Amino acid sequence: MRSRILTGLAAFFVLLLLLVPDDFAALSPWALVVIPLEALVGVAVVVLLPARARTVVGIVAGVVLSALTLLKLLDLGFGVTLSRQFDPLSDWSLFRAASEWVSESFGKTGAVVAVVVAILLALALPVLATLSILRLSKVVAVRRALALRVVAVLGVAWVALALLGVHVVPGVPIAGRSTTAAAYGHAAQLRADIADQAAYDREESTDAFRDVPGSQLLQGLKGKDVIFAFVESYGRDAVNYPQTAALLSARSASLTAAGFQTRSGWLTSSTIGGGSWLAHATFQSGLWIDSQRRYGKFVEGSRYTLTTAFSKAGWRTVAVMPANRRDWPEGRIYGFDHEYDDRTLGYKGQGYAFSSIPDQFTLHSFRRSELARPVSARQPVMAEIDLLSSHAPWDPVPPMMDWDTLGDGSTYPGNGGRGGNPNEVDGEDVSKVRDNYRRTVEYSVDSLVSYMEKYGDANTVLVMLGDHQPSPVITGPNPNRDVPITVVAKDPAVLPKIDSWGWSPGLAPAADGPVWRMDAFRDKFLSAFATP
């Protein structure tokens, strides 16, 4: 009886590994009634092999099956968060970022537990898979005739069901081959990755602005402070919320009343759900940076960036990056004169989830450090400011404060520690998660608009944009990658230079307005403002 129970558990375990999908949409208990093609092929091979070869093949099959299962699990995770599959060539570096996100959002204990579980899973899977396959191969070898009959019947059924396209539930075909499909998908991905390296080199070698003299760059913005502010996870879905649309409309009216003009359009981001640095690199470089592999080549190269152009034309250039909690050596590619991060922004208040520093304080600290003197008494400043309050887990939402009382941030109300309760975000109430997301985006946008109303003048230009859409938890499956972008200026000579872009007035782009890929922005912006 014990032997039969162990054999049954081994069969169930192998079946489970074969049936684990790589797509969250196909994750269903009904997947257990699927006939996996790989199991039928495996039984046929075992029947035909001699005993010694059976053992070797069983060990290899266990290792391969466990590796493919881990890939499928990683694909599941990447699909939920980044809406794409895991790339074994370049995505390993993301695990450090993921660990830091868990630590900052939910505490170091949660991060340690997550790492330990991941290591144990990676070690246990090949051992258990190999032992299970070896046990099953012995049982099949003893009952060869029965095994062949079962394979023949199920094989015919599999072919018929595949041809008819029968699904037990939508997205789950009864004739299953998810493990084979995952192996094929990653093999195709590997071939594409290799080919893409040459494609990237060709794209990087072409640059219309690299050799343009500084005297012919950005003359239409001469003497102005130009702020490029990225709002974390600010995508088309955020603009579609009725409450957010109402806020954007009201804040557009208040900016107009204060003498500002606004124009908004859409950009298609190179990433979704995360990987903000890919969007920043794409925006700055005019190259399509949609993978860690491309990002690695970018930071190792010498691409001409928006920052480089501003510096060459006489601006002081700074980066404000509250997410950075350690040195950022890859930032050299951008050419910033100075960088501010979590350690140097001077925030003394309590943290707010992953965004330890509220966006309003980030803007306050930047102005205090760089723009306290009038532009006539200093170099004009170009800044990239990466706002973070709308980063997952979207709780708690910082309050808007009186700008004059911000000080060192110690006036912010306490929130019980660094971040909210993870159960409030990761629980079953998706509507609450989406509402938290909406409110954090509204807070970030409100911070920028309030900043412009209080401190902006004729020598201030704000370019506000999203870095990417939020994760599919917010958007649902198969979202697009569009993010809003807005230019705000008080000088009436600024916005006519982009009239040809076809952007609409206000903070909310027209739903059917122009959509560009994000890598197109650099050249369009430099061309529009090249002349006085």
Side-chain angles (χ1 to χ4, degrees):
M1 179 62 68
R2 183 174 61 183
S3 175
R4 290 177 178 176
I5 290 174
L6 289 175
T7 300
L9 290 174
F12 179 76
F13 182 69
V14 171
L15 186 67
L16 193 63
L17 297 188
L18 290 172
L19 296 179
V20 168
D22 58 358
D23 182 2
F24 187 79
L27 197 60
S28 166
W30 287 105
L32 293 176
V33 303
V34 168
I35 304 172
L37 174 64
E38 301 85 359
L40 302 181
V41 174
V43 171
V45 169
V46 167
V47 169
L48 298 174
L49 287 176
R52 182 174 297 180
R54 230 176 14 245
T55 300
V56 174
V57 170
I59 294 172
V60 172
V63 173
V64 171
L65 177 58
S66 60
L68 288 173
T69 301
L70 287 173
L71 278 178
K72 289 194 290 181
L73 291 173
L74 289 169
D75 285 344
L76 270 175
F78 272 66
V80 169
T81 56
L82 302 177
S83 199
R84 66 173 176 85
Q85 68 176 179
F86 173 72
D87 187 343
L89 276 187
S90 60
D91 281 343
W92 298 107
S93 60
L94 297 181
F95 288 104
R96 179 178 182 179
S99 176
E100 290 177 348
W101 177 78
V102 173
S103 178
E104 292 295 330
S105 299
F106 307 135
K108 291 184 178 179
T109 301
V112 170
V113 170
V115 170
V116 170
V117 169
I119 292 174
L120 289 177
L121 181 65
L123 294 174
L125 266 182
V127 174
L128 294 176
T130 300
L131 291 176
S132 297
I133 289 174
L134 290 175
R135 184 176 189 87
L136 293 173
S137 66
K138 291 178 182 178
V139 173
V140 169
V142 172
R143 298 172 174 81
R144 292 189 178 207
L146 176 61
L148 284 175
R149 286 197 296 270
V150 171
V151 166
V153 172
L154 291 179
V156 171
W158 190 96
V159 171
L161 292 167
L163 291 173
L164 293 172
V166 179
H167 286 61
V168 61
V169 292
V172 182
I174 296 180
R177 53 185 181 90
S178 64
T179 300
T180 301
Y184 179 82
H186 281 285
Q189 180 189 52
L190 177 61
R191 291 194 301 271
D193 286 349
I194 294 172
D196 187 59
Q197 295 184 36
Y200 177 86
D201 291 338
R202 289 193 300 272
E203 294 165 19
E204 186 184 38
S205 65
T206 304
D207 194 329
F209 289 92
R210 185 188 301 274
D211 299 321
V212 176
S215 60
Q216 298 177 26
L217 289 168
L218 299 162
Q219 297 306 295
L221 296 171
K222 191 172 183 178
K224 299 187 186 303
D225 296 319
V226 182
I227 300 170
F228 294 94
F230 282 93
V231 176
E232 172 66 34
S233 300
Y234 180 37
R236 187 183 282 266
D237 278 58
V239 178
N240 290 338
Y241 285 102
Q243 302 97 317
T244 307
L247 172 77
L248 294 175
S249 177
R251 299 309 263 149
S252 297
S254 66
L255 282 169
T256 300
F260 290 94
Q261 297 177 343
T262 54
R263 294 290 185 276
S264 297
W266 300 103
L267 299 178
T268 299
S269 178
S270 59
T271 184
I272 188 168
S276 302
W277 53 92
L278 304 181
H280 300 168
T282 297
F283 183 81
Q284 281 258 11
S285 69
L287 295 170
W288 190 247
I289 312 293
D290 62 344
S291 67
Q292 282 300 111
R293 181 189 63 264
R294 280 194 161 222
Y295 181 74
K297 291 180 74 69
F298 164 68
V299 298
E300 292 169 2
S302 57
R303 179 69 176 182
Y304 193 82
T305 63
L306 272 176
T307 303
T308 311
F310 273 95
S311 181
K312 194 174 180 180
W315 271 261
R316 170 175 166 80
T317 59
V318 300
V320 183
M321 301 192 168
N324 285 359
R325 296 172 175 90
R326 59 176 182 271
D327 292 342
W328 185 45
E330 61 266 36
R332 64 158 192 83
I333 184 63
Y334 294 104
F336 291 110
D337 294 320
H338 190 74
E339 298 165 12
Y340 297 92
D341 60 21
D342 180 84
R343 302 166 298 179
T344 57
L345 284 170
Y347 182 64
K348 304 299 182 184
Q350 293 199 55
Y352 283 80
F354 180 79
S355 169
S356 58
I357 303 176
D359 289 346
Q360 186 185 9
F361 184 88
T362 296
L363 295 168
H364 162 75
S365 179
F366 159 70
R367 182 184 178 279
R368 180 178 58 191
S369 300
E370 292 290 337
L371 307 183
R373 293 181 298 155
V375 71
S376 58
R378 55 172 171 78
Q379 277 181 282
V381 172
M382 173 270 183
E384 179 187 322
I385 304 180
D386 300 341
L387 300 180
L388 210 60
S389 291
S390 51
H391 196 291
W394 307 299
D395 180 68
V397 184
M400 282 297 295
M401 305 281 283
D402 184 337
W403 289 97
D404 296 326
T405 63
L406 283 176
D408 62 2
S410 57
T411 56
Y412 274 89
N415 60 5
R418 295 180 67 83
N421 181 356
N423 292 325
E424 293 182 4
V425 173
D426 290 339
E428 296 180 356
D429 189 356
V430 176
S431 63
K432 180 171 183 177
V433 180
R434 290 173 176 165
D435 190 60
N436 286 343
Y437 161 73
R438 173 189 61 79
R439 293 190 300 121
T440 57
V441 167
E442 291 173 0
Y443 164 77
S444 296
V445 171
D446 214 20
S447 295
L448 283 166
V449 173
S450 177
Y451 174 89
M452 288 297 286
E453 290 177 342
K454 184 169 180 64
Y455 299 116
D457 56 26
N459 288 320
T460 308
V461 175
L462 169 67
V463 180
M464 175 182 74
L465 70 153
D467 51 4
H468 54 71
Q469 284 260 58
S471 71
V473 172
I474 303 298
T475 63
N478 304 315
N480 65 41
R481 295 188 173 203
D482 295 347
V483 298
I485 179 169
T486 301
V487 180
V488 182
K490 181 170 278 190
D491 184 346
V494 172
L495 291 188
K497 293 183 177 296
I498 63 171
D499 280 346
S500 63
W501 292 1
W503 289 9
S504 53
L507 295 174
D512 58 352
V515 181
W516 310 336
R517 287 205 334 177
M518 190 174 278
D519 57 341
F521 180 83
R522 188 203 72 161
D523 287 7
K524 287 181 179 289
F525 186 85
L526 292 177
S527 296
F529 293 103
T531 58

